[in-house]
C-alpha cells in the first residue's frame, strides 16, 4: 500500500532531500547535493522563484517505508504571460515499484486538473537555470552538480504510465587537445576589429558582480525564443549571483563588450565539483568546504555552464573571441577535458558553434509529457 505525505516542515524537507542519499548509496555515479543548499532552494522566503511559482513537496511511503518523492510546480509566468498551460514536476525519485511512481505522478496530475492545466511535463525545475531531464543514456558516467542522475528503470516507469518524450537533451565532451588555435586565433582578431569589440577577463569575484545584472539580461535576450524558456526576474538575478558566482573561478568568466562597453556576449565555465561533492556527502562542514575549494583550485576538468550572445551578434564569429580567451586560460591551468551541460538536441546553432572541437555525445536525457484530461 502506498501513502503520500506532503512535506511542509523543515524536518519533512530534510527527509525529502535525503531520500536519494539512500536510493543511490551504492552508486559511484550519483553526485549528492549540499543539503543546506537544497533547503535554500525549497525555502519560500529565500528562493525568489516562489514569487511567481508555487511548489508542493510529496513523499511516498510503501508499507510505511519511504519509497519516493516529487515536487509539483506551477510557474505562473509561464501560464499567464506565455500562455503555456503546463504543470511542472521535478526532483522525482522512486524505488523500482510502479505503484510508487504512479501515486506520485497522479498527485501531480491531480493538482494540474485543479488548476485546469493542459499537460504535465518533467522532470524540470523552477527556471532554465535549474536541473532538467531524466537520464536515458550515459548511466556509467559520473553526474554533475547541475544535472540529475537516475537509475535506468525510471524510463520504463514513465512509458508504462502513459508519458511520452517531449524534449531531448544531449551532453557532449571533448579533450582540450581538440582545440586547434588556428581555427579561432586569427578570426579572433578580425572579429574584434570589424565590430569594435574587446574582451574582459577577471581575476577577482568582486570584479564580476557589478556586471552580473547585464549578464542575466543578456541571458534572457539570448534564449527568449526557446519554447521552454522562462525569463529570470530581478529578484532571481540577486539570488543566483549570491548562490553561484562565488563557486566560479573568476578567470573562467569571459565577457565581450562593444565600443560603448555594452555586454554583447558572455561565457561561464565551472570546474567539475562532482568528486568533491561525493566526498562532502551533502555537508559543507567539517570537510565538505575543503573538498570544494580544492576542486575549484585544482580540478583539470571543466563544464561549459552558460554561453550567451546578443541576437544581433549571433552567427558573426563572436565565439572565436570567447574560445581564444578560454584557450589561453585552459593552457595556463593545464585543463584536460571540457564538458557541456544539457543542450536541446534540436539546437542546431549550438552544434555548429562547437563542431570544430569534435565533441562526442556521452549522455542523453529527456523530459516526459502527459496530457491532463
Amino acid at each position: 500500500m502506498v501513502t503520500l505525505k506532503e512535506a511542509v516542515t523543515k524536518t519533512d524537507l530534510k527527509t525529502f532531500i535525503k531520500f536519494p542519499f539512500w536510493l543511490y548509496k551504492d552508486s559511484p555515479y550519483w553526485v549528492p547535493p549540499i543539503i543546506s543548499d537544497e533547503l535554500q532552494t525549497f525555502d519560500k522566503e529565500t528562493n525568489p522563484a516562489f514569487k511567481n511559482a508555487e511548489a508542493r513537496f510529496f513523499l511516498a511511503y510503501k508499507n510505511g517505508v519511504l519509497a519516493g518523492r516529487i515536487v509539483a510546480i506551477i510557474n505562473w509566468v509561464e501560464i499567464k504571460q506565455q500562455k503555456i498551460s503546463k504543470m511542472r514536476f521535478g526532483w522525482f525519485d522512486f524505488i523500482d515499484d510502479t505503484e510508487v511512481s504512479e501515486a506520485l505522478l497522479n498527485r501531480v496530475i491531480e493538482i494540474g486538473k485543479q488548476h485546469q492545466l493542459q499537460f504535465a511535463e518533467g522532470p524540470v525545475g523552477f527556471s532554465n537555470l535549474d536541473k532538467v531531464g531524466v537520464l536515458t543514456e550515459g548511466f556509467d558516467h559520473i553526474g554533475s552538480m547541475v544535472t540529475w542522475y537516475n537509475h535506468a528503470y525510471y524510463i520504463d516507469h514513465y512509458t508504462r504510465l502513459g508519458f511520452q518524450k517531449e524534449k531531448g537533451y544531449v551532453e557532449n565532451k571533448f579533450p582540450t587537445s581538440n582545440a586547434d588555435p588556428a581555427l579561432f586565433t586569427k578570426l579572433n582578431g578580425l572579429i574584434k576589429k570589424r565590430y569594435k569589440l574587446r574582451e574582459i577577463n577577471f581575476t577577482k569575484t568582486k570584479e564580476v558582480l557589478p556586471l552580473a545584472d547585464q549578464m542575466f539580461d543578456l541571458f534572457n535576450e539570448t534564449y527568449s525564443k526557446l519554447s521552454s524558456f522562462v525569463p529570470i526576474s530581478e529578484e532571481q538575478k540577486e539570488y543566483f549571483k549570491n548562490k553561484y558566482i562565488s563557486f566560479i573561478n573568476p578567470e573562467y568568466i569571459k565577457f565581450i563588450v562593444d565600443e560603448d562597453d555594452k555586454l554583447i556576449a558572455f561565457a561561464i565555465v565551472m570546474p567539475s565539483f562532482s568528486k568533491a561533492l561525493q566526498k562532502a556527502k551533502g555537508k559543507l562542514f567539517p570537510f565538505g568546504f575543503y573538498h570544494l575549494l580544492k576542486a575549484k583550485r585544482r580540478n583539470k576538468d571543466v563544464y561549459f555552464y552558460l554561453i550567451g550572445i546578443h541576437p544581433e551578434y549571433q552567427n558573426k564569429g563572436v565565439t572565436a573571441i570567447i574560445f581564444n580567451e578560454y584557450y589561453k586560460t585552459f593552457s595556463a591551468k593545464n585543463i584536460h577535458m571540457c564538458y557541456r551541460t544539457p543542450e536541446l538536441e534540436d539546437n542546431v546553432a549550438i552544434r555548429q558553434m562547437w563542431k570544430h572541437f569534435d565533441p562526442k555525445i556521452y549522455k542523453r536525457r529527456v523530459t516526459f509529457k502527459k496530457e491532463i484530461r
Side-chain angles (χ1 to χ4, degrees):
M1 178 180 176
V2 177
T3 58
L4 298 187
K5 176 185 178 181
E6 186 164 1
V8 177
T9 67
K10 188 173 182 179
T11 299
D12 290 340
L13 288 173
K14 280 188 177 179
T15 300
F16 183 97
I17 291 165
K18 289 181 178 179
F19 172 67
F21 284 74
W22 169 81
L23 188 64
Y24 296 101
K25 64 182 184 297
D26 297 322
S27 171
Y29 307 114
W30 181 69
V31 174
I34 296 297
I35 293 169
S36 60
D37 187 56
E38 286 283 85
L39 279 171
Q40 276 198 329
T41 299
F42 298 152
D43 188 334
K44 294 176 173 62
E45 301 301 319
T46 303
N47 188 346
F50 286 100
K51 292 187 180 295
N52 297 302
E54 297 177 20
R56 295 174 67 182
F57 305 82
F58 296 96
L59 296 164
Y61 290 83
K62 180 74 181 269
N63 300 324
V65 178
L66 184 59
R69 67 172 193 170
I70 200 167
V71 183
I73 303 166
I74 298 176
N75 188 304
W76 291 112
V77 171
E78 187 171 52
I79 293 168
K80 293 181 178 180
Q81 296 180 21
Q82 299 181 328
K83 308 302 180 185
I84 301 173
S85 189
K86 179 196 295 186
M87 182 73 216
R88 291 174 165 241
F89 64 89
W91 288 272
F92 183 32
D93 291 291
F94 47 90
I95 64 171
D96 192 5
D97 185 318
T98 310
E99 268 195 279
V100 174
S101 55
E102 184 174 24
L104 289 164
L105 287 170
N106 281 348
R107 189 69 185 96
V108 169
I109 289 172
E110 181 184 324
I111 295 169
K113 285 180 179 178
Q114 291 169 2
H115 292 279
Q116 291 83 50
L117 300 179
Q118 293 178 356
F119 66 95
E121 183 185 351
V124 293
F126 298 100
S127 77
N128 297 76
L129 290 181
D130 288 319
K131 299 174 183 180
V132 65
V134 60
L135 193 67
T136 59
E137 292 179 23
F139 299 102
D140 56 347
H141 293 276
I142 193 168
S144 74
M145 70 179 295
V146 294
T147 56
W148 282 309
Y149 184 82
N150 56 267
H151 290 304
Y153 63 75
Y154 279 35
I155 306 156
D156 184 51
H157 282 243
Y158 280 105
T159 54
R160 272 194 282 167
L161 295 171
F163 281 75
Q164 296 181 325
K165 175 184 173 180
E166 173 63 6
K167 299 180 185 73
Y169 297 82
V170 295
E171 295 176 53
N172 291 267
K173 65 177 181 178
F174 61 89
T176 52
S177 57
N178 282 12
D180 181 358
L183 295 171
F184 47 80
T185 301
K186 184 177 180 180
L187 186 59
N188 161 69
L190 292 172
I191 297 300
K192 285 198 289 188
K193 185 176 181 180
R194 178 181 298 170
Y195 298 111
K196 299 179 180 178
L197 306 176
R198 66 180 179 89
E199 70 279 358
I200 299 179
N201 288 297
F202 303 97
T203 57
K204 298 178 181 177
T205 301
K206 65 180 182 181
E207 297 170 347
V208 181
L209 291 173
L211 299 172
D213 283 350
Q214 287 188 56
M215 179 181 70
F216 286 120
D217 288 340
L218 182 54
F219 176 82
N220 281 341
E221 285 188 90
T222 301
Y223 296 99
S224 61
K225 293 182 180 179
L226 292 180
S227 60
S228 60
F229 185 74
V230 178
I232 299 170
S233 68
E234 294 299 317
E235 293 88 352
Q236 284 175 302
K237 290 178 190 176
E238 289 300 315
Y239 176 73
F240 287 125
K241 276 193 291 187
N242 295 329
K243 185 175 181 179
Y244 290 118
I245 296 296
S246 62
F247 262 106
I248 304 168
N249 306 44
E251 60 269 34
Y252 288 169
I253 300 175
K254 308 296 182 183
F255 283 8
I256 312 298
V257 296
D258 64 13
E259 59 183 329
D260 297 318
D261 288 335
K262 179 184 175 182
L263 185 66
I264 62 97
F266 75 91
I268 295 178
V269 165
M270 298 176 70
S272 173
F273 290 106
S274 298
K275 291 182 180 178
L277 286 166
Q278 287 180 331
K279 291 175 182 177
K281 298 180 181 179
K283 298 178 181 179
L284 285 176
F285 300 101
F287 302 114
F289 200 68
Y290 164 77
H291 293 305
L292 292 171
L293 277 177
K294 186 177 177 181
K296 180 178 178 180
R297 292 170 181 167
R298 300 182 186 177
N299 204 294
K300 301 305 179 185
D301 295 341
V302 296
Y303 280 85
F304 276 84
Y305 182 48
L306 287 177
I307 289 184
I309 300 174
H310 192 281
E312 290 181 12
Y313 287 90
Q314 292 174 10
N315 302 315
K316 291 184 176 179
V318 173
T319 51
I321 308 174
I322 295 172
F323 292 150
N324 189 64
E325 294 307 307
Y326 277 121
Y327 181 76
K328 291 187 287 187
T329 301
F330 291 171
S331 296
K333 289 185 168 291
N334 195 27
I335 299 301
H336 297 160
M337 186 67 72
C338 297
Y339 296 86
R340 283 157 43 206
T341 50
E343 299 158 350
L344 284 164
E345 63 185 2
D346 58 1
N347 192 333
V348 177
I350 285 286
R351 287 206 302 274
Q352 287 295 108
M353 188 170 79
W354 294 100
K355 64 181 180 181
H356 294 301
F357 297 89
D358 192 25
K360 304 299 181 187
I361 295 173
Y362 74 106
K363 290 182 186 178
R364 293 183 186 270
R365 58 183 68 239
V366 303
T367 59
F368 281 98
K369 174 182 176 179
K370 186 175 183 179
E371 298 297 324
I372 295 176
R373 293 181 173 84

